[in-house]
Amino acid sequence: MDDIDGLRRVLLGTRSIAVVGLSANWHRPSNFAAKYMLEHGYTIIPVNPAYDEVLGQKCYPSLRDVPVPVDMVDVFRKPEDVPPLVDDAVAIGAKTFWMQLGVINEEAARRAEAAGLQVVMDRCVKIEHARLFGGLNWAGVNTGVISSKRPLLPNVR
């Protein structure tokens, strides 16, 4: 999925995000992105066997250990680590499989789509949220979105 309407629809339809590979180190991109999404009303579920807690949220060793429903699986792992995560995302009933910037695995994307998941690849959830819901343009960044109307934020319904 690459189009503005599709990305906006995914972000509006998502409430809970399992972040695979979320680091407790504040300077890591996964931490920065998850903190931003947490601050914008999303439920963040850290998935990383190295931690008990990240960003004040209980951390789980794997997707299959998450005891609550997950709307989106957000992947911060090497491309070669992605295929088994597709199986886990399908097993837990996730709706969207999102691979972060630089995480490109075409075979995993095809498998996820064939299993009925919405797939976003090589994009940052934080950047897309800010671009589509009014965060980046305040800093003078050309978001590529031309509209005189600001879309409703995901936590305003």
Side-chain angles (χ1 to χ4, degrees), residues 87-105:
D87 298 330
D88 293 346
V90 171
I92 66 169
K95 298 176 193 140
T96 303
F97 194 79
W98 189 300
M99 292 176 267
Q100 280 291 331
L101 286 172
V103 182
I104 302 168
N105 188 314

Side-chain angles (χ1 to χ4, degrees), residues 26-122:
W26 67 268
H27 62 280
R28 299 293 300 164
S30 61
N31 188 284
F32 187 74
K35 183 177 180 189
Y36 171 91
M37 297 307 282
L38 188 63
E39 290 170 353
H40 284 83
Y42 292 87
T43 299
I44 297 298
I45 304 160
V47 178
N48 189 328
Y51 304 107
D52 292 326
E53 184 179 289
V54 179
L55 296 173
Q57 311 300 309
K58 180 172 174 36
C59 193
Y60 298 92
S62 76
L63 281 171
R64 292 181 190 241
D65 292 317
V66 176
V68 296
V70 171
D71 295 325
M72 176 192 293
V73 172
D74 185 14
V75 180
F76 282 89
R77 296 290 307 272
K78 294 179 290 190
E80 58 269 21
D81 295 341
V82 172
L85 297 173
V86 171
D87 298 330
D88 293 346
V90 171
I92 66 169
K95 298 176 193 140
T96 303
F97 194 79
W98 189 300
M99 292 176 267
Q100 280 291 331
L101 286 172
V103 182
I104 302 168
N105 188 314
E106 297 290 346
E107 181 256 330
R110 281 191 294 277
R111 285 185 42 231
E113 286 175 345
L117 276 73
Q118 301 172 104
V119 176
V120 179
M121 185 166 51
D122 195 25

Side-chain angles (χ1 to χ4, degrees), residues 125-139:
V125 70
K126 181 252 179 263
I127 291 171
E128 294 305 323
H129 184 277
R131 178 174 78 101
L132 298 173
F133 297 104
L136 287 179
N137 57 350
W138 289 107

Side-chain angles (χ1 to χ4, degrees), residues 131-152:
R131 178 174 78 101
L132 298 173
F133 297 104
L136 287 179
N137 57 350
W138 289 107
V141 175
N142 180 359
T143 64
V145 178
I146 301 172
S147 175
S148 62
K149 293 183 180 178
R150 187 166 299 244
L152 288 178

